[in-house]
Amino acid sequence: MAGAISGTPPKAVAPPGRGPVVAALMLSMALAALDGTIVSTAVPQIVGDLGGFSVFSWLFSGYLLAVTVTLPVYGKLSDTFGRKPVLVTGIILFVIGSLLCATAWNMAALIAFRVIQGLGGGALQGTVQTVAADLYPLKERPKIQAKLSTVWATSSVAGPAIGGLFAGYLDWRWIFLINLPVGAVALLLIVRHLREPHRATVRRHVRVDWQGALGVFATGALLLTGLVQGGVAWPWFSAPSFAFFGAALILAAVTVVIERRAAEPIIPGWVWRRRTIASVNLALGAMGLLMVAPTVFVPTYAQSVLGLGPIAAGFVLSTMTLSWPVSAALSNRVYNRIGFRFTAVIGMSCALVTLLVFPFLPFPGQAWQPALIMLILGGALGLFQLPLIIGVQSTVGWSERGTATASILFCRQVGQSVGAALFGAVANGVLAARLAKAPGLPGDLDSVSTALENPATLTAHAADYLRRAVDAAVDNVFLGATVAAAIALLVLLFIAPRRFPVIQDTSPDE
């Protein structure tokens, strides 16, 4: 493969037009975006067929783990060898993983094959965003980003319906087999239409930092496993937790030493030395943290507190995905006038106020109230996230764009993992405190939600008590999310530069 570039960064081009490549990017993103939502609705059928109820959560955790820890690796490889080989590899891995998942004979095999899917998903998430930035100049990037955001929005709404349809009327294995034709079309379009021009100056002997890649992978795996399993498979303050987090800390220190000595480190020091990228990494990490509140706890709130069915509860959350791509598409009209940083500040300020309103909703309330909050929150976060991603991509050249994009997506993913563990502990802690006064009732969020799905097993007083306990738990989670929003806002105000140092396609306002 060709080596890394130096000099003027080239653009990936797709003569005679960008249409086929854009279609391929949207299909590739759809593979990753549909994955979580389409699988979640088929879990009862999967468990009924394969067994393994005690470990089924690893269907999601294993995939998330593989995606997260490979993002920095794929980002560096795309800068070194080009986007096309990395994207092709990602699609092939994802399709192979999907085919293997469809043939799984037990839960352990399915989890292992989901990890293979995740290895492909990590290449898809980061590289698609990078190719989109390569194809479009600064002023046009919101167009492609809005299309990619629309893919995520559509997937979040369509995924549960498709998964339920396949699981209920065909077979759960079809939720994986459907990826094969989609992946094949995306692969064909990428191979035929994505062109990366020959680079003028090439370093012929590229040394890939495989030791650093292994260190990043192992450190991330230990950290995320500790976060995912802590408070679930074992108590937080227990030997397994201390072992995982301690080993992750030691490996992190070893990886830093390796990266400092490497000629081409997987995570270069400039990712954290450059004020713009470092501040966006922190801000997107905080956003990942706060995103757990709506995506994980709003459906539970809608079903357990408001008494809605799964479809109606999904609609409450889906309003966020309707406004997100719209505000993202229109964000360029704002940041072209006032800059990336101030646009993101406006977005996160609105998100902070919106999150703070949630705990003051009346009990039990009506469905339109949280739906309206989600609608506003989606618009606010679309105004926050997209300008920061485009801003960072516009401050680096071609040879650094993959690494920079992967770093901010990696931080967002880690923030989500930390948020899931932290807010899960907060919710269960509040429930435990509330239900300690009512012995005989379930004491954790999952058990309470299950009990409320079968109201015949509860007295009216007990059901009302449980609903109020869930309401209090979710309110506290949203207060925690408000703190995360405040952290993101403080990072933008006091760490991020007032103007992002755009190096190409410069906007007069930046």
Side-chain angles (χ1 to χ4, degrees), residues 29-102:
M29 188 64 78
L31 288 173
L34 274 172
D35 187 81
T37 55
I38 199 173
V39 173
S40 62
T41 54
V43 165
Q45 288 76 17
I46 294 174
V47 172
D49 188 14
L50 301 180
F53 178 79
S54 61
V55 294
F56 83 86
S57 63
W58 274 98
L59 289 176
F60 308 98
S61 301
Y63 177 85
L64 175 65
L65 178 86
V67 168
T68 304
V69 299
T70 55
L71 271 169
V73 178
Y74 286 127
K76 181 61 179 179
L77 291 178
S78 74
D79 284 340
T80 303
F81 299 117
R83 326 298 191 209
K84 186 173 182 176
V86 174
L87 190 54
V88 167
T89 301
I91 295 173
I92 292 174
L93 275 175
F94 195 94
V95 169
I96 291 174
S98 299
L99 180 60
L100 291 173
C101 286

Side-chain angles (χ1 to χ4, degrees), residues 166-383:
F166 285 164
Y169 295 97
L170 294 173
D171 187 276
W172 63 264
R173 298 178 191 274
W174 279 98
I175 67 178
F176 298 108
L177 291 174
I178 193 64
N179 292 330
L180 272 59
V182 176
V185 174
L187 185 62
L188 178 64
L189 292 174
I190 289 294
V191 171
R192 292 187 61 180
H193 296 283
L194 179 61
R195 299 287 182 267
E196 294 181 293
H198 177 72
R199 301 153 200 177
T201 306
V202 177
R203 287 175 285 174
R204 298 187 179 278
H205 302 289
V206 178
R207 298 171 60 184
V208 179
D209 178 24
W210 295 116
Q211 287 184 330
L214 180 61
V216 171
F217 190 93
T219 302
L222 288 171
L223 174 62
L224 294 179
T225 300
L227 289 171
V228 168
Q229 294 296 92
V232 179
W234 52 73
W236 283 110
F237 296 99
S238 64
S241 282
F242 292 137
F244 272 99
F245 292 128
L249 185 62
I250 293 171
L251 268 179
V254 172
T255 303
V256 168
V257 173
I258 293 173
E259 294 294 83
R260 285 182 173 178
R261 295 178 178 177
E264 295 287 344
I266 292 294
I267 303 181
W270 56 260
V271 167
W272 291 103
R273 286 195 299 269
R274 296 182 190 177
R275 187 178 170 188
T276 302
I277 302 175
S279 60
V280 172
N281 283 343
L282 294 173
L284 265 292
M287 193 201 82
L289 191 72
L290 72 85
M291 279 297 296
V292 172
T295 57
V296 175
F297 289 93
V298 163
T300 299
Y301 172 87
Q303 293 183 70
S304 298
V305 178
L306 301 182
L308 301 178
I311 295 177
F315 176 76
V316 170
L317 176 61
S318 69
T319 57
M320 181 175 71
T321 64
L322 300 177
S323 58
W324 192 313
V326 173
S327 68
L330 298 176
S331 65
N332 66 319
R333 300 186 180 184
V334 183
Y335 69 66
N336 280 332
R337 294 187 177 186
I338 65 175
F340 296 117
R341 173 177 174 263
F342 287 112
T343 303
V345 166
I346 292 172
M348 187 50 69
S349 298
C350 294
L352 188 153
V353 173
T354 305
L355 291 166
L356 190 58
V357 168
F358 192 96
F360 295 97
L361 291 179
F363 177 87
Q366 299 181 22
W368 68 266
Q369 295 166 333
L372 178 60
I373 286 179
M374 292 302 100
L375 186 71
I376 298 172
L377 182 62
L381 293 178
L383 202 61

Side-chain angles (χ1 to χ4, degrees), residues 99-123:
L99 180 60
L100 291 173
C101 286
T103 64
W105 55 91
N106 59 32
M107 186 62 75
L110 183 56
I111 291 171
F113 298 149
R114 285 280 288 165
V115 171
I116 295 175
Q117 261 193 319
L119 296 177

